[in-house]
Amino acid sequence: MGIKIAVCISGRGRNLKAILEMAKNNQALVQVACVLSDKPDAPGLAFAREASIPTVIVERQKGSKTKAQFTTDLCRALDAHKVDYVVLAGFMQVLSSKFISKFESRILNIHPSLLPAFKGLHPQQQALDAQVKTSGCTVHIVTEEVDAGPILTQATVPVFETDSAETLSQRILEAELKLYPATILGLATGQILLSQTDRGVSVMVNPSFKS
Ligand code: GRF
């Protein structure tokens, strides 16, 4: 038992911070081997440094580096750490098919909506525009189609008539900060089981799972 993960970020890293805290409290179960960013100045990198976790910068500069080269660099950086899962936490890059197949069923993402509703950009605004009463967040496996991979876990939050995209985003983020660490821990303990079938990965979540 026990898993080794890499966390990929591009920005403020609130999910990363929550994951690092969970890993610190569950050292025998979850090891954060490295934190990778495509932005050298991502504020979230500070959380990794505070926790003495190795950081890796893999930049993708338009024009100067092709997607294929970016993929090669990402793979090289992650191969060095032999991780079980690649955890995307606000990583603002669309991954190549080659990368996704190399880490097949082992790349996780969190999306701030109840997938399959409101895929893509600005899901909180999409939820407000659709006047739904409930939204939330989803942890899913990354596949080629964006925000469409098998769902592991979800958490719901209410949507109020007075909400703006900012207030709803903040409420969803609070749910993310519980759901993502709990889901990773669930994979480490076997509360969440992934198994490969002929038709892709199948996900089994113990009914007692709580975020
Ligand atoms: C979160 O809202 C997450 O759902 C989305 O990107 C945001 C990342 O925030 N994928 P942070 O960098 O973890 O603070």
Side-chain angles (χ1 to χ4, degrees):
M1 213 144 46
I3 58 171
K4 209 168 160 187
I5 64 171
V7 184
C8 301
I9 65 165
S10 298
R12 64 191 169 168
R14 289 288 309 278
N15 278 283
L16 166 66
K17 182 168 185 271
I19 291 165
L20 289 172
E21 276 163 19
M22 174 276 293
K24 191 175 170 195
N25 295 330
N26 295 278
Q27 289 182 17
L29 290 169
V30 179
Q31 184 195 347
V32 182
C34 68
V35 172
L36 185 149
S37 175
D38 61 324
K39 302 267 185 297
D41 55 354
L45 286 167
F47 298 127
R49 293 187 186 116
E50 273 163 30
S52 306
I53 307 290
T55 57
V56 193
I57 308 298
V58 180
E59 283 187 271
R60 176 160 186 218
Q61 285 145 357
K62 283 202 179 78
S64 66
K65 200 181 258 187
T66 64
K67 195 167 181 177
Q69 185 59 50
F70 182 66
T71 299
T72 305
D73 294 349
L74 276 184
C75 290
R76 190 169 299 146
L78 295 175
D79 280 348
H81 292 282
K82 303 208 179 340
V83 295
D84 300 302
Y85 292 97
V86 178
V87 173
L88 308 184
F91 189 58
M92 303 305 286
Q93 294 284 344
V94 175
L95 299 166
S96 68
S97 323
K98 189 176 163 199
F99 186 86
I100 292 169
S101 58
K102 178 176 162 77
F103 290 96
E104 194 183 356
S105 307
R106 299 194 294 129
I107 309 171
L108 309 181
N109 184 40
I110 189 156
H111 183 77
S113 77
L114 293 176
L115 291 172
F118 314 133
K119 295 174 182 171
L121 292 176
H122 312 302
Q124 301 93 341
Q125 187 60 52
Q126 291 186 52
L128 293 177
D129 293 345
Q131 301 185 336
V132 293
K133 298 273 180 272
T134 304
S135 189
C137 49
T138 304
V139 178
H140 66 95
I141 293 169
V142 172
T143 54
E144 292 231 17
E145 197 184 330
V146 175
D147 299 329
I151 290 172
L152 271 58
T153 54
Q154 293 185 305
T156 59
V157 304
V159 182
F160 302 120
E161 275 176 21
T162 50
D163 267 329
S164 62
E166 286 71 32
T167 58
L168 179 57
S169 300
Q170 184 56 37
R171 196 172 308 118
I172 294 174
L173 179 66
E174 295 304 327
E176 290 178 37
L177 301 182
K178 293 183 192 151
L179 186 71
Y180 217 178
T183 303
I184 295 163
L185 188 57
L187 285 166
T189 58
Q191 247 202 333
I192 299 173
L193 285 177
L194 304 184
S195 43
Q196 216 55 53
T197 72
D198 296 347
R199 290 184 293 131
V201 69
S202 101
V203 180
M204 271 181 13
V205 180
N206 190 303
S208 67
F209 173 83
K210 277 198 186 66
S211 71

